[in-house]
Amino acid sequence: MLKCIRGDGSVTWQKQEGKHAAFFPLHDLTHYAVESELSFRRGFYGLIAEGWEIAETTGKTARGALPNETLEVEYLVSAFSAEWAGGTVSTAAEFNVLAATFADAKGMPDPRELSDEELCRVRSRFNELATQWRALPVDATMQLSFNCSDGAQSP
């Protein structure tokens, strides 16, 4: 289960079951690594901090379409996920082409180009988080803090 507690104490949560149960924890940790290491303010966790409910982050609710920055984060998360699923580490040039291809397929502007150093930071953070997640005992909780206003700048 993903439970997000906002600064004002309000909560949004979602329980994943069935075939998605194994996918979402690592997907959510990828979001965390991308958003925190690249200082995105309006990715998934930034929207949650703003008061969005998890169910509203599909862009298909009364809340409306997702902001472009949120979509950019989704492209980057998808590109990292594709890289990890393929078992290969891409150079910044290769990664940027892949991320731009995701964006182009959706008719969105290209995401910002990332440097090898930025890719390394995201990969390192994700690997730390995934290792912690996999080491958790059954029914244990992993807690992370996301502060989108603590010096973070939108790219």
Side-chain angles (χ1 to χ4, degrees), residues 22-32 45 74 77-78 81 126:
F23 168 79
F24 274 102
L26 294 176
H27 177 79
D28 295 338
L29 291 175
T30 304
H31 266 279
Y32 187 87
Y45 290 107
E74 284 297 331
V77 168
S78 295
S81 297
F126 172 78

Side-chain angles (χ1 to χ4, degrees), residues 24-107:
F24 274 102
L26 294 176
H27 177 79
D28 295 338
L29 291 175
T30 304
H31 266 279
Y32 187 87
V34 167
E35 293 175 41
S36 61
E37 291 300 321
L38 301 178
S39 301
F40 282 102
R41 285 199 232 180
R42 297 203 76 210
F44 173 78
Y45 290 107
L47 295 183
I48 298 302
E50 287 179 17
W52 289 52
E53 296 297 320
I54 292 173
E56 293 175 320
T57 63
T58 63
K60 299 175 184 174
T61 68
R63 174 78 75 165
L66 297 174
N68 280 346
E69 184 174 319
T70 308
L71 296 174
E72 180 176 1
V73 168
E74 284 297 331
Y75 303 140
L76 294 174
V77 168
S78 295
F80 275 109
S81 297
E83 178 184 274
W84 294 324
T88 59
V89 175
S90 303
T91 65
E94 294 165 335
F95 184 91
N96 290 327
V97 167
L98 178 60
T101 300
F102 279 113
D104 191 46
K106 298 289 185 180

Side-chain angles (χ1 to χ4, degrees), residues 1-2 21-26 29 126-138 140-143:
M1 174 172 60
L2 174 64
F23 168 79
F24 274 102
L26 294 176
L29 291 175
F126 172 78
N127 287 333
E128 290 170 13
L129 295 168
T131 299
Q132 289 174 1
W133 173 254
R134 290 179 180 120
L136 283 177
V138 175
T141 299
M142 183 174 177
Q143 294 183 8

